[in-house]
Amino acid sequence: GDSAECPTGQICYFDTPCDKRMQGNPNGNGGVPTGAPSISGMSDLEGARNFCGRSLNEAMETCNRELHCPSGLNGECPEGMYCWQYLPECNVNDMPTPAPTISPKPTPLPTP
């Protein structure tokens, strides 16, 4: 496709339709996707499906809690990555939460 065919603020990729999830780009800070609320907290509208990547494919292949960018803004991503919105196969609500870190019991100081 041609980016000129896309609505303002969207970019076009070869052999894909122009849609809001394509807005993660160097000059944009994303749009507002639509979606139904999730069962466990953050809804799709609130960014549960937004993840960082150098490309759309990388974002879809590597989505994880560390690369989640709920606001849809590129500034939430590591340097060189962009926030890609509404990735259909990625949802932070479906990802396991990290196991809690258990600290060892403190050792009492010896009494003099």
Side-chain angles (χ1 to χ4, degrees), residues 48 51 63-66 68 89-97:
F51 292 89
C63 57
N64 61 60
R65 286 190 174 276
E66 289 75 33
H68 181 228
E89 300 298 319
C90 301
N91 187 328
V92 73
N93 294 318
D94 297 336
M95 295 177 179
T97 55

Side-chain angles (χ1 to χ4, degrees), residues 35-106:
S38 70
I39 294 172
S40 63
M42 183 178 287
S43 74
D44 291 344
L45 279 172
E46 294 168 328
R49 295 181 181 274
N50 300 348
F51 292 89
C52 302
R54 288 177 185 82
S55 67
L56 175 61
N57 284 340
E58 180 182 80
M60 289 190 297
E61 291 168 4
T62 62
C63 57
N64 61 60
R65 286 190 174 276
E66 289 75 33
L67 294 175
H68 181 228
C69 49
S71 75
L73 299 176
N74 295 333
E76 287 185 290
C77 297
E79 190 169 330
M81 291 187 169
Y82 310 108
C83 187
W84 299 89
Q85 295 190 0
Y86 202 72
L87 304 181
E89 300 298 319
C90 301
N91 187 328
V92 73
N93 294 318
D94 297 336
M95 295 177 179
T97 55
T101 304
I102 300 172
S103 300
K105 283 177 110 175

